[in-house]
Amino acid sequence: MSNYNKVLNNLEALKLEKFRSYLPNYLEEITKKEIPFTEALLELTEKELDFRNERASKIQISVSAFPFEKTLKDFDFDFQPSINKTQLLDLESLRFIENKENILFFGTSGVGKTHLAVALGIAAAKKRYLTYFISCHDLIMQLNKAHAENRLETKLKHFSKYKLLIIDEIGYLPIDKQGANLLFQLINKRYEKNSTIITTNQPFSKWGEVFSDVTLANAILDRLIHHSSIIKITGPSYRLKGKMDLLESKKSSNN
């Protein structure tokens, strides 16, 4: 077996997939253009690192439980002029995660809160921050189940570990006092340690009704709002826009 084939076998054994696939062409380049060996080796190792980082990012996105994959580039900022695009692009830099800050999206149904939350979550996952998306209802159901099975502390630690936890749709369904208490415990564990993104259709003044307890609601809000960006969306619903576009399309075809 030639030394060249031995090198290929070694690269395969070491699972250096991209290094191995690019090596034949680089050997030709080195010979033809007299590229320094260290320069070629640097480029080959960088391609291997890029490949591994991209693969790790895809894995992180797949385990983050996003309901869909959309980025800020997919968001129609012209349709929602109440949103400061510059602010969202700055949040996409993910400095808020390093600063352990929170983000709260507030607006009526269909205005794009979940899209924006997911977009920031995907940006975080791509950078390999441990990220997880869950609806408020599902989160409280899991905490209630863990509480009933005497596993609450383990479950709280599980949700506390995420660098970014996205809790979607607070306020869409009523929350009893026990659920509010369990959510408070989680928010308190994450407070000033990791970042949380919240989406809600209820103004903060009504959270006492949502959580069936004004004191708990205020305690949750106090920890979420401290060190946070609050983004209020006052525009129309994207779902209504879709229906209007469909009607316009039918009208044009009939004409």
Side-chain angles (χ1 to χ4, degrees):
M1 182 183 292
S2 69
N3 286 339
Y4 173 71
N5 286 327
K6 286 181 181 178
V7 169
L8 292 179
N9 288 343
N10 287 346
L11 291 173
E12 186 173 354
L14 291 167
K15 300 187 186 302
L16 296 171
E17 299 174 33
K18 284 298 171 183
F19 195 126
R20 187 185 189 285
S21 65
Y22 279 104
L23 182 61
N25 289 335
Y26 270 86
L27 288 176
E28 290 182 17
E29 290 291 309
I30 291 171
T31 304
K32 289 179 181 178
K33 299 181 180 179
E34 298 183 350
I35 298 173
F37 176 73
T38 52
E39 184 179 318
L41 188 61
L42 174 62
E43 193 162 349
L44 283 166
T45 52
E46 285 182 340
K47 284 187 178 296
E48 181 67 34
L49 286 172
D50 288 343
F51 167 71
R52 291 191 176 197
N53 286 332
E54 184 179 350
R55 182 173 59 185
S57 295
K58 287 180 179 178
I59 292 171
Q60 182 57 53
I61 289 172
S62 70
V63 300
S64 295
F66 296 119
F68 49 77
E69 288 189 29
K70 290 184 180 179
T71 67
L72 289 185
K73 290 181 180 178
D74 302 315
F75 193 83
D76 188 353
F77 285 96
D78 292 333
F79 187 71
Q80 298 293 19
S82 67
I83 299 174
N84 184 335
K85 183 177 180 179
T86 302
Q87 180 186 19
L88 266 296
L89 292 174
D90 180 59
L91 291 172
E92 194 180 30
S93 73
L94 307 178
R95 285 188 294 109
F96 77 94
I97 295 179
E98 292 300 321
N99 295 334
K100 300 175 177 59
E101 297 170 352
N102 303 319
I103 302 172
L104 290 80
F105 290 105
F106 160 59
T108 55
S109 179
V111 295
K113 304 183 298 297
T114 301
H115 181 152
L116 293 173
V118 167
L120 294 177
I122 286 177
K126 284 181 177 178
K127 293 294 183 182
R128 298 169 67 178
Y129 286 106
L130 200 59
T131 303
Y132 196 73
F133 177 101
I134 190 169
S135 72
C136 182
H137 178 68
D138 288 346
L139 174 61
I140 290 177
M141 281 184 63
Q142 289 194 34
L143 293 177
N144 268 320
K145 187 172 186 290
H147 180 263
E149 297 171 352
N150 295 315
R151 299 184 295 105
L152 180 60
E153 191 58 33
T154 300
K155 185 61 73 172
L156 289 172
K157 285 181 180 178
H158 168 76
F159 283 117
S160 296
K161 72 182 179 183
Y162 292 104
K163 284 291 185 181
L164 178 61
L165 179 65
I166 302 171
I167 306 175
D168 193 39
E169 297 184 336
I170 288 183
Y172 284 79
L173 293 172
I175 301 167
D176 63 20
K177 191 169 181 177
Q178 176 171 297
N181 182 278
L182 295 174
L183 183 62
F184 167 74
Q185 290 183 57
L186 175 59
I187 297 301
N188 192 49
K189 273 187 174 291
R190 294 182 58 80
Y191 177 57
E192 294 190 323
K193 294 177 182 175
N194 286 311
S195 295
T196 305
I197 294 179
I198 295 292
T199 74
T200 181
N201 67 334
Q202 296 293 336
F204 303 138
S205 60
K206 290 189 177 180
W207 274 33
E209 299 173 26
V210 171
F211 289 99
S212 308
D213 187 294
V214 173
T215 302
L216 277 172
N218 287 339
I220 291 169
L221 270 173
D222 181 61
R223 285 157 180 77
L224 286 175
I225 291 176
H226 192 213
H227 310 308
S228 72
S229 296
I230 299 173
I231 300 171
K232 183 178 180 180
I233 309 174
T234 58
S237 168
Y238 276 97
R239 298 184 185 97
L240 180 61
K241 177 180 181 290
K243 288 182 180 179
M244 290 173 63
D245 290 344
L246 183 60
L247 287 172
E248 286 296 324
S249 176
K250 287 182 178 179
K251 188 184 294 185
S252 297
S253 62
N254 290 335
N255 291 337

